[in-house]
Amino acid sequence: MDTESAPLPPHHLPRFSAECPSRPILDQISDKWSMMVMAVLEQPTRFNEIKRQLEGVTQRVLTHTLRRLERNGMIQRRVLETSPLGVEYSLTPLGESFRGPFTRLHEWTIEHSDEVLSAQHGYDARSSAGR
């Protein structure tokens, strides 16, 4: 049995350590519901309005997503002293700083969606022909 560790990649290549603090952050911001919530929060928005704008999200998933975004400092939660009590969410300065990269990523997905769909169809056709 070989007990030597694998060689390290060259210095110009990224090394993705399991302990890297970027991993949970990337996991959070690459989650589809997190991305959609960030897009919806152009201004302070109440929970039910967020839910109405995100077709297909369940209350449980939205609640979990909002809590993760709040924990990571991307959004803030504010209790409204209304009757009944209400809650609204808004982007923090950190969340606002993500708007630029997010907007560019969103634009890229729109620009290249036809190419991605074409690639998917080609892959599926090749995969089903090889069975």
Side-chain angles (χ1 to χ4, degrees):
M1 178 175 184
D2 184 14
T3 58
E4 290 183 33
S5 62
L8 294 176
H11 289 292
H12 66 280
L13 296 177
R15 181 157 190 251
F16 298 101
S17 166
E19 294 82 30
C20 181
S22 69
R23 280 188 171 194
I25 298 167
L26 289 170
D27 177 51
Q28 165 79 66
I29 61 176
S30 65
D31 170 72
K32 73 175 179 180
W33 294 118
S34 294
M35 297 292 280
M36 290 184 209
V37 166
M38 298 286 287
V40 167
L41 292 178
E42 291 182 11
Q43 60 188 20
T45 308
R46 293 178 77 143
F47 181 92
N48 286 330
E49 180 58 27
I50 296 170
K51 189 169 183 322
R52 275 191 289 278
Q53 293 186 50
L54 301 179
E55 186 175 317
V57 71
T58 64
Q59 184 160 337
R60 183 181 73 73
V61 169
L62 181 55
T63 298
H64 177 71
T65 300
L66 290 166
R67 285 180 182 159
R68 285 181 63 200
L69 286 168
E70 183 180 12
R71 182 172 183 260
N72 288 338
M74 304 297 272
I75 67 170
Q76 61 188 5
R77 178 181 186 270
R78 185 171 75 108
V79 176
L80 304 171
E81 300 296 328
T82 58
S83 180
L85 286 177
V87 176
E88 73 176 11
Y89 297 87
S90 60
L91 294 176
T92 62
L94 182 61
E96 283 288 346
S97 74
F98 184 62
R99 186 171 291 285
F102 167 77
T103 299
R104 182 61 196 122
L105 177 61
H106 184 254
E107 289 169 353
W108 184 93
T109 62
I110 300 301
E111 284 175 35
H112 298 282
S113 60
D114 289 341
E115 293 171 71
V116 171
L117 289 173
S118 177
Q120 289 172 347
H121 292 307
Y123 177 89
D124 293 346
R126 289 188 307 277
S127 294
S128 63
R131 290 184 185 166

mmCIF file with all atom_site columns, all heavy atoms in Angstrom, residues 97-116:
data_model
loop_
_atom_site.group_PDB
_atom_site.id
_atom_site.type_symbol
_atom_site.label_atom_id
_atom_site.label_alt_id
_atom_site.label_comp_id
_atom_site.label_asym_id
_atom_site.label_entity_id
_atom_site.label_seq_id
_atom_site.pdbx_PDB_ins_code
_atom_site.Cartn_x
_atom_site.Cartn_y
_atom_site.Cartn_z
_atom_site.occupancy
_atom_site.B_iso_or_equiv
_atom_site.pdbx_formal_charge
_atom_site.auth_seq_id
_atom_site.auth_comp_id
_atom_site.auth_asym_id
_atom_site.auth_atom_id
_atom_site.pdbx_PDB_model_num
ATOM 1   N N   . SER A 1 97  ? -22.814 44.347 -1.984  1.00 0.00 ? 97  SER A N   1
ATOM 2   C CA  . SER A 1 97  ? -21.527 44.231 -2.685  1.00 0.00 ? 97  SER A CA  1
ATOM 3   C C   . SER A 1 97  ? -21.503 43.018 -3.605  1.00 0.00 ? 97  SER A C   1
ATOM 4   O O   . SER A 1 97  ? -20.701 42.959 -4.535  1.00 0.00 ? 97  SER A O   1
ATOM 5   C CB  . SER A 1 97  ? -20.366 44.166 -1.688  1.00 0.00 ? 97  SER A CB  1
ATOM 6   O OG  . SER A 1 97  ? -20.308 42.899 -1.049  1.00 0.00 ? 97  SER A OG  1
ATOM 7   N N   . PHE A 1 98  ? -22.385 42.065 -3.360  1.00 0.00 ? 98  PHE A N   1
ATOM 8   C CA  . PHE A 1 98  ? -22.482 40.868 -4.205  1.00 0.00 ? 98  PHE A CA  1
ATOM 9   C C   . PHE A 1 98  ? -23.353 41.111 -5.433  1.00 0.00 ? 98  PHE A C   1
ATOM 10  O O   . PHE A 1 98  ? -23.316 40.349 -6.384  1.00 0.00 ? 98  PHE A O   1
ATOM 11  C CB  . PHE A 1 98  ? -23.033 39.701 -3.375  1.00 0.00 ? 98  PHE A CB  1
ATOM 12  C CG  . PHE A 1 98  ? -23.087 38.406 -4.131  1.00 0.00 ? 98  PHE A CG  1
ATOM 13  C CD1 . PHE A 1 98  ? -21.933 37.819 -4.609  1.00 0.00 ? 98  PHE A CD1 1
ATOM 14  C CD2 . PHE A 1 98  ? -24.295 37.782 -4.361  1.00 0.00 ? 98  PHE A CD2 1
ATOM 15  C CE1 . PHE A 1 98  ? -21.984 36.625 -5.314  1.00 0.00 ? 98  PHE A CE1 1
ATOM 16  C CE2 . PHE A 1 98  ? -24.363 36.585 -5.062  1.00 0.00 ? 98  PHE A CE2 1
ATOM 17  C CZ  . PHE A 1 98  ? -23.199 36.002 -5.539  1.00 0.00 ? 98  PHE A CZ  1
ATOM 18  N N   . ARG A 1 99  ? -24.110 42.190 -5.429  1.00 0.00 ? 99  ARG A N   1
ATOM 19  C CA  . ARG A 1 99  ? -25.038 42.459 -6.528  1.00 0.00 ? 99  ARG A CA  1
ATOM 20  C C   . ARG A 1 99  ? -24.311 42.550 -7.878  1.00 0.00 ? 99  ARG A C   1
ATOM 21  O O   . ARG A 1 99  ? -24.789 42.037 -8.878  1.00 0.00 ? 99  ARG A O   1
ATOM 22  C CB  . ARG A 1 99  ? -25.838 43.733 -6.269  1.00 0.00 ? 99  ARG A CB  1
ATOM 23  C CG  . ARG A 1 99  ? -26.915 43.949 -7.315  1.00 0.00 ? 99  ARG A CG  1
ATOM 24  C CD  . ARG A 1 99  ? -27.842 45.088 -6.956  1.00 0.00 ? 99  ARG A CD  1
ATOM 25  N NE  . ARG A 1 99  ? -28.694 44.812 -5.825  1.00 0.00 ? 99  ARG A NE  1
ATOM 26  C CZ  . ARG A 1 99  ? -29.770 44.016 -5.863  1.00 0.00 ? 99  ARG A CZ  1
ATOM 27  N NH1 . ARG A 1 99  ? -30.093 43.408 -6.967  1.00 0.00 ? 99  ARG A NH1 1
ATOM 28  N NH2 . ARG A 1 99  ? -30.506 43.843 -4.804  1.00 0.00 ? 99  ARG A NH2 1
ATOM 29  N N   . GLY A 1 100 ? -23.150 43.196 -7.934  1.00 0.00 ? 100 GLY A N   1
ATOM 30  C CA  . GLY A 1 100 ? -22.403 43.319 -9.193  1.00 0.00 ? 100 GLY A CA  1
ATOM 31  C C   . GLY A 1 100 ? -22.003 41.967 -9.770  1.00 0.00 ? 100 GLY A C   1
ATOM 32  O O   . GLY A 1 100 ? -22.357 41.649 -10.913 1.00 0.00 ? 100 GLY A O   1
ATOM 33  N N   . PRO A 1 101 ? -21.268 41.141 -9.009  1.00 0.00 ? 101 PRO A N   1
ATOM 34  C CA  . PRO A 1 101 ? -20.910 39.818 -9.533  1.00 0.00 ? 101 PRO A CA  1
ATOM 35  C C   . PRO A 1 101 ? -22.149 38.969 -9.844  1.00 0.00 ? 101 PRO A C   1
ATOM 36  O O   . PRO A 1 101 ? -22.177 38.259 -10.845 1.00 0.00 ? 101 PRO A O   1
ATOM 37  C CB  . PRO A 1 101 ? -20.081 39.185 -8.411  1.00 0.00 ? 101 PRO A CB  1
ATOM 38  C CG  . PRO A 1 101 ? -19.594 40.324 -7.604  1.00 0.00 ? 101 PRO A CG  1
ATOM 39  C CD  . PRO A 1 101 ? -20.621 41.409 -7.726  1.00 0.00 ? 101 PRO A CD  1
ATOM 40  N N   . PHE A 1 102 ? -23.162 39.060 -9.011  1.00 0.00 ? 102 PHE A N   1
ATOM 41  C CA  . PHE A 1 102 ? -24.380 38.288 -9.247  1.00 0.00 ? 102 PHE A CA  1
ATOM 42  C C   . PHE A 1 102 ? -25.056 38.724 -10.544 1.00 0.00 ? 102 PHE A C   1
ATOM 43  O O   . PHE A 1 102 ? -25.482 37.894 -11.346 1.00 0.00 ? 102 PHE A O   1
ATOM 44  C CB  . PHE A 1 102 ? -25.363 38.440 -8.084  1.00 0.00 ? 102 PHE A CB  1
ATOM 45  C CG  . PHE A 1 102 ? -26.727 37.911 -8.428  1.00 0.00 ? 102 PHE A CG  1
ATOM 46  C CD1 . PHE A 1 102 ? -26.971 36.559 -8.443  1.00 0.00 ? 102 PHE A CD1 1
ATOM 47  C CD2 . PHE A 1 102 ? -27.750 38.776 -8.775  1.00 0.00 ? 102 PHE A CD2 1
ATOM 48  C CE1 . PHE A 1 102 ? -28.218 36.065 -8.801  1.00 0.00 ? 102 PHE A CE1 1
ATOM 49  C CE2 . PHE A 1 102 ? -28.998 38.297 -9.125  1.00 0.00 ? 102 PHE A CE2 1
ATOM 50  C CZ  . PHE A 1 102 ? -29.227 36.936 -9.132  1.00 0.00 ? 102 PHE A CZ  1
ATOM 51  N N   . THR A 1 103 ? -25.143 40.030 -10.759 1.00 0.00 ? 103 THR A N   1
ATOM 52  C CA  . THR A 1 103 ? -25.787 40.537 -11.965 1.00 0.00 ? 103 THR A CA  1
ATOM 53  C C   . THR A 1 103 ? -25.050 40.038 -13.201 1.00 0.00 ? 103 THR A C   1
ATOM 54  O O   . THR A 1 103 ? -25.671 39.613 -14.177 1.00 0.00 ? 103 THR A O   1
ATOM 55  C CB  . THR A 1 103 ? -25.842 42.078 -11.939 1.00 0.00 ? 103 THR A CB  1
ATOM 56  O OG1 . THR A 1 103 ? -26.618 42.475 -10.800 1.00 0.00 ? 103 THR A OG1 1
ATOM 57  C CG2 . THR A 1 103 ? -26.465 42.639 -13.195 1.00 0.00 ? 103 THR A CG2 1
ATOM 58  N N   . ARG A 1 104 ? -23.725 40.062 -13.149 1.00 0.00 ? 104 ARG A N   1
ATOM 59  C CA  . ARG A 1 104 ? -22.941 39.577 -14.294 1.00 0.00 ? 104 ARG A CA  1
ATOM 60  C C   . ARG A 1 104 ? -23.186 38.083 -14.516 1.00 0.00 ? 104 ARG A C   1
ATOM 61  O O   . ARG A 1 104 ? -23.331 37.631 -15.649 1.00 0.00 ? 104 ARG A O   1
ATOM 62  C CB  . ARG A 1 104 ? -21.451 39.855 -14.067 1.00 0.00 ? 104 ARG A CB  1
ATOM 63  C CG  . ARG A 1 104 ? -20.591 39.430 -15.203 1.00 0.00 ? 104 ARG A CG  1
ATOM 64  C CD  . ARG A 1 104 ? -20.940 40.161 -16.524 1.00 0.00 ? 104 ARG A CD  1
ATOM 65  N NE  . ARG A 1 104 ? -20.342 39.458 -17.638 1.00 0.00 ? 104 ARG A NE  1
ATOM 66  C CZ  . ARG A 1 104 ? -21.000 38.962 -18.673 1.00 0.00 ? 104 ARG A CZ  1
ATOM 67  N NH1 . ARG A 1 104 ? -22.288 39.124 -18.792 1.00 0.00 ? 104 ARG A NH1 1
ATOM 68  N NH2 . ARG A 1 104 ? -20.376 38.312 -19.613 1.00 0.00 ? 104 ARG A NH2 1
ATOM 69  N N   . LEU A 1 105 ? -23.241 37.299 -13.442 1.00 0.00 ? 105 LEU A N   1
ATOM 70  C CA  . LEU A 1 105 ? -23.509 35.870 -13.557 1.00 0.00 ? 105 LEU A CA  1
ATOM 71  C C   . LEU A 1 105 ? -24.896 35.637 -14.160 1.00 0.00 ? 105 LEU A C   1
ATOM 72  O O   . LEU A 1 105 ? -25.073 34.800 -15.045 1.00 0.00 ? 105 LEU A O   1
ATOM 73  C CB  . LEU A 1 105 ? -23.390 35.190 -12.189 1.00 0.00 ? 105 LEU A CB  1
ATOM 74  C CG  . LEU A 1 105 ? -23.720 33.708 -12.140 1.00 0.00 ? 105 LEU A CG  1
ATOM 75  C CD1 . LEU A 1 105 ? -22.786 32.906 -13.036 1.00 0.00 ? 105 LEU A CD1 1
ATOM 76  C CD2 . LEU A 1 105 ? -23.649 33.206 -10.703 1.00 0.00 ? 105 LEU A CD2 1
ATOM 77  N N   . HIS A 1 106 ? -25.874 36.390 -13.691 1.00 0.00 ? 106 HIS A N   1
ATOM 78  C CA  . HIS A 1 106 ? -27.238 36.262 -14.213 1.00 0.00 ? 106 HIS A CA  1
ATOM 79  C C   . HIS A 1 106 ? -27.272 36.625 -15.700 1.00 0.00 ? 106 HIS A C   1
ATOM 80  O O   . HIS A 1 106 ? -27.899 35.926 -16.504 1.00 0.00 ? 106 HIS A O   1
ATOM 81  C CB  . HIS A 1 106 ? -28.188 37.144 -13.403 1.00 0.00 ? 106 HIS A CB  1
ATOM 82  C CG  . HIS A 1 106 ? -29.606 36.987 -13.809 1.00 0.00 ? 106 HIS A CG  1
ATOM 83  N ND1 . HIS A 1 106 ? -30.266 37.934 -14.539 1.00 0.00 ? 106 HIS A ND1 1
ATOM 84  C CD2 . HIS A 1 106 ? -30.486 35.981 -13.601 1.00 0.00 ? 106 HIS A CD2 1
ATOM 85  C CE1 . HIS A 1 106 ? -31.499 37.530 -14.771 1.00 0.00 ? 106 HIS A CE1 1
ATOM 86  N NE2 . HIS A 1 106 ? -31.659 36.346 -14.207 1.00 0.00 ? 106 HIS A NE2 1
ATOM 87  N N   . GLU A 1 107 ? -26.598 37.697 -16.073 1.00 0.00 ? 107 GLU A N   1
ATOM 88  C CA  . GLU A 1 107 ? -26.536 38.083 -17.487 1.00 0.00 ? 107 GLU A CA  1
ATOM 89  C C   . GLU A 1 107 ? -25.892 36.984 -18.323 1.00 0.00 ? 107 GLU A C   1
ATOM 90  O O   . GLU A 1 107 ? -26.346 36.691 -19.436 1.00 0.00 ? 107 GLU A O   1
ATOM 91  C CB  . GLU A 1 107 ? -25.755 39.395 -17.644 1.00 0.00 ? 107 GLU A CB  1
ATOM 92  C CG  . GLU A 1 107 ? -26.492 40.603 -17.133 1.00 0.00 ? 107 GLU A CG  1
ATOM 93  C CD  . GLU A 1 107 ? -25.604 41.841 -17.042 1.00 0.00 ? 107 GLU A CD  1
ATOM 94  O OE1 . GLU A 1 107 ? -24.366 41.745 -17.243 1.00 0.00 ? 107 GLU A OE1 1
ATOM 95  O OE2 . GLU A 1 107 ? -26.162 42.922 -16.753 1.00 0.00 ? 107 GLU A OE2 1
ATOM 96  N N   . TRP A 1 108 ? -24.840 36.352 -17.797 1.00 0.00 ? 108 TRP A N   1
ATOM 97  C CA  . TRP A 1 108 ? -24.170 35.274 -18.512 1.00 0.00 ? 108 TRP A CA  1
ATOM 98  C C   . TRP A 1 108 ? -25.144 34.119 -18.746 1.00 0.00 ? 108 TRP A C   1
ATOM 99  O O   . TRP A 1 108 ? -25.166 33.539 -19.836 1.00 0.00 ? 108 TRP A O   1
ATOM 100 C CB  . TRP A 1 108 ? -22.940 34.793 -17.736 1.00 0.00 ? 108 TRP A CB  1
ATOM 101 C CG  . TRP A 1 108 ? -22.168 33.743 -18.480 1.00 0.00 ? 108 TRP A CG  1
ATOM 102 C CD1 . TRP A 1 108 ? -21.113 33.948 -19.314 1.00 0.00 ? 108 TRP A CD1 1
ATOM 103 C CD2 . TRP A 1 108 ? -22.406 32.332 -18.468 1.00 0.00 ? 108 TRP A CD2 1
ATOM 104 N NE1 . TRP A 1 108 ? -20.685 32.746 -19.829 1.00 0.00 ? 108 TRP A NE1 1
ATOM 105 C CE2 . TRP A 1 108 ? -21.452 31.744 -19.330 1.00 0.00 ? 108 TRP A CE2 1
ATOM 106 C CE3 . TRP A 1 108 ? -23.328 31.514 -17.823 1.00 0.00 ? 108 TRP A CE3 1
ATOM 107 C CZ2 . TRP A 1 108 ? -21.411 30.362 -19.551 1.00 0.00 ? 108 TRP A CZ2 1
ATOM 108 C CZ3 . TRP A 1 108 ? -23.280 30.141 -18.052 1.00 0.00 ? 108 TRP A CZ3 1
ATOM 109 C CH2 . TRP A 1 108 ? -22.328 29.585 -18.896 1.00 0.00 ? 108 TRP A CH2 1
ATOM 110 N N   . THR A 1 109 ? -25.937 33.763 -17.734 1.00 0.00 ? 109 THR A N   1
ATOM 111 C CA  . THR A 1 109 ? -26.874 32.650 -17.899 1.00 0.00 ? 109 THR A CA  1
ATOM 112 C C   . THR A 1 109 ? -27.909 32.960 -18.975 1.00 0.00 ? 109 THR A C   1
ATOM 113 O O   . THR A 1 109 ? -28.270 32.076 -19.750 1.00 0.00 ? 109 THR A O   1
ATOM 114 C CB  . THR A 1 109 ? -27.591 32.285 -16.580 1.00 0.00 ? 109 THR A CB  1
ATOM 115 O OG1 . THR A 1 109 ? -28.374 33.383 -16.127 1.00 0.00 ? 109 THR A OG1 1
ATOM 116 C CG2 . THR A 1 109 ? -26.609 31.861 -15.509 1.00 0.00 ? 109 THR A CG2 1
ATOM 117 N N   . ILE A 1 110 ? -28.362 34.203 -19.043 1.00 0.00 ? 110 ILE A N   1
ATOM 118 C CA  . ILE A 1 110 ? -29.325 34.593 -20.071 1.00 0.00 ? 110 ILE A CA  1
ATOM 119 C C   . ILE A 1 110 ? -28.654 34.541 -21.458 1.00 0.00 ? 110 ILE A C   1
ATOM 120 O O   . ILE A 1 110 ? -29.207 33.978 -22.404 1.00 0.00 ? 110 ILE A O   1
ATOM 121 C CB  . ILE A 1 110 ? -29.883 36.014 -19.802 1.00 0.00 ? 110 ILE A CB  1
ATOM 122 C CG1 . ILE A 1 110 ? -30.589 36.080 -18.446 1.00 0.00 ? 110 ILE A CG1 1
ATOM 123 C CG2 . ILE A 1 110 ? -30.800 36.460 -20.929 1.00 0.00 ? 110 ILE A CG2 1
ATOM 124 C CD1 . ILE A 1 110 ? -31.738 35.132 -18.267 1.00 0.00 ? 110 ILE A CD1 1
ATOM 125 N N   . GLU A 1 111 ? -27.454 35.116 -21.568 1.00 0.00 ? 111 GLU A N   1
ATOM 126 C CA  . GLU A 1 111 ? -26.731 35.141 -22.843 1.00 0.00 ? 111 GLU A CA  1
ATOM 127 C C   . GLU A 1 111 ? -26.465 33.744 -23.397 1.00 0.00 ? 111 GLU A C   1
ATOM 128 O O   . GLU A 1 111 ? -26.499 33.535 -24.602 1.00 0.00 ? 111 GLU A O   1
ATOM 129 C CB  . GLU A 1 111 ? -25.371 35.821 -22.671 1.00 0.00 ? 111 GLU A CB  1
ATOM 130 C CG  . GLU A 1 111 ? -25.388 37.311 -22.572 1.00 0.00 ? 111 GLU A CG  1
ATOM 131 C CD  . GLU A 1 111 ? -23.991 37.856 -22.290 1.00 0.00 ? 111 GLU A CD  1
ATOM 132 O OE1 . GLU A 1 111 ? -22.991 37.281 -22.789 1.00 0.00 ? 111 GLU A OE1 1
ATOM 133 O OE2 . GLU A 1 111 ? -23.898 38.856 -21.549 1.00 0.00 ? 111 GLU A OE2 1
ATOM 134 N N   . HIS A 1 112 ? -26.168 32.798 -22.526 1.00 0.00 ? 112 HIS A N   1
ATOM 135 C CA  . HIS A 1 112 ? -25.713 31.486 -22.965 1.00 0.00 ? 112 HIS A CA  1
ATOM 136 C C   . HIS A 1 112 ? -26.722 30.366 -22.750 1.00 0.00 ? 112 HIS A C   1
ATOM 137 O O   . HIS A 1 112 ? -26.382 29.198 -22.955 1.00 0.00 ? 112 HIS A O   1
ATOM 138 C CB  . HIS A 1 112 ? -24.386 31.147 -22.271 1.00 0.00 ? 112 HIS A CB  1
ATOM 139 C CG  . HIS A 1 112 ? -23.301 32.110 -22.617 1.00 0.00 ? 112 HIS A CG  1
ATOM 140 N ND1 . HIS A 1 112 ? -22.614 32.074 -23.816 1.00 0.00 ? 112 HIS A ND1 1
ATOM 141 C CD2 . HIS A 1 112 ? -22.809 33.174 -21.942 1.00 0.00 ? 112 HIS A CD2 1
ATOM 142 C CE1 . HIS A 1 112 ? -21.742 33.056 -23.855 1.00 0.00 ? 112 HIS A CE1 1
ATOM 143 N NE2 . HIS A 1 112 ? -21.838 33.742 -22.732 1.00 0.00 ? 112 HIS A NE2 1
ATOM 144 N N   . SER A 1 113 ? -27.945 30.692 -22.386 1.00 0.00 ? 113 SER A N   1
ATOM 145 C CA  . SER A 1 113 ? -28.926 29.636 -22.094 1.00 0.00 ? 113 SER A CA  1
ATOM 146 C C   . SER A 1 113 ? -29.207 28.773 -23.323 1.00 0.00 ? 113 SER A C   1
ATOM 147 O O   . SER A 1 113 ? -29.345 27.551 -23.207 1.00 0.00 ? 113 SER A O   1
ATOM 148 C CB  . SER A 1 113 ? -30.217 30.219 -21.524 1.00 0.00 ? 113 SER A CB  1
ATOM 149 O OG  . SER A 1 113 ? -30.811 31.111 -22.440 1.00 0.00 ? 113 SER A OG  1
ATOM 150 N N   . ASP A 1 114 ? -29.278 29.366 -24.512 1.00 0.00 ? 114 ASP A N   1
ATOM 151 C CA  . ASP A 1 114 ? -29.517 28.571 -25.725 1.00 0.00 ? 114 ASP A CA  1
ATOM 152 C C   . ASP A 1 114 ? -28.370 27.600 -25.981 1.00 0.00 ? 114 ASP A C   1
ATOM 153 O O   . ASP A 1 114 ? -28.590 26.448 -26.361 1.00 0.00 ? 114 ASP A O   1
ATOM 154 C CB  . ASP A 1 114 ? -29.716 29.479 -26.940 1.00 0.00 ? 114 ASP A CB  1
ATOM 155 C CG  . ASP A 1 114 ? -31.038 30.222 -26.910 1.00 0.00 ? 114 ASP A CG  1
ATOM 156 O OD1 . ASP A 1 114 ? -31.956 29.800 -26.174 1.00 0.00 ? 114 ASP A OD1 1
ATOM 157 O OD2 . ASP A 1 114 ? -31.150 31.246 -27.617 1.00 0.00 ? 114 ASP A OD2 1
ATOM 158 N N   . GLU A 1 115 ? -27.137 28.063 -25.762 1.00 0.00 ? 115 GLU A N   1
ATOM 159 C CA  . GLU A 1 115 ? -25.976 27.191 -25.964 1.00 0.00 ? 115 GLU A CA  1
ATOM 160 C C   . GLU A 1 115 ? -25.975 26.034 -24.969 1.00 0.00 ? 115 GLU A C   1
ATOM 161 O O   . GLU A 1 115 ? -25.656 24.892 -25.327 1.00 0.00 ? 115 GLU A O   1
ATOM 162 C CB  . GLU A 1 115 ? -24.683 27.983 -25.803 1.00 0.00 ? 115 GLU A CB  1
ATOM 163 C CG  . GLU A 1 115 ? -24.456 29.013 -26.888 1.00 0.00 ? 115 GLU A CG  1
ATOM 164 C CD  . GLU A 1 115 ? -23.285 29.913 -26.555 1.00 0.00 ? 115 GLU A CD  1
ATOM 165 O OE1 . GLU A 1 115 ? -22.134 29.420 -26.609 1.00 0.00 ? 115 GLU A OE1 1
ATOM 166 O OE2 . GLU A 1 115 ? -23.527 31.092 -26.234 1.00 0.00 ? 115 GLU A OE2 1
ATOM 167 N N   . VAL A 1 116 ? -26.330 26.333 -23.720 1.00 0.00 ? 116 VAL A N   1
ATOM 168 C CA  . VAL A 1 116 ? -26.372 25.285 -22.696 1.00 0.00 ? 116 VAL A CA  1
ATOM 169 C C   . VAL A 1 116 ? -27.463 24.275 -23.036 1.00 0.00 ? 116 VAL A C   1
ATOM 170 O O   . VAL A 1 116 ? -27.236 23.054 -22.969 1.00 0.00 ? 116 VAL A O   1
ATOM 171 C CB  . VAL A 1 116 ? -26.583 25.895 -21.287 1.00 0.00 ? 116 VAL A CB  1
ATOM 172 C CG1 . VAL A 1 116 ? -26.848 24.808 -20.261 1.00 0.00 ? 116 VAL A CG1 1
ATOM 173 C CG2 . VAL A 1 116 ? -25.371 26.730 -20.889 1.00 0.00 ? 116 VAL A CG2 1
#
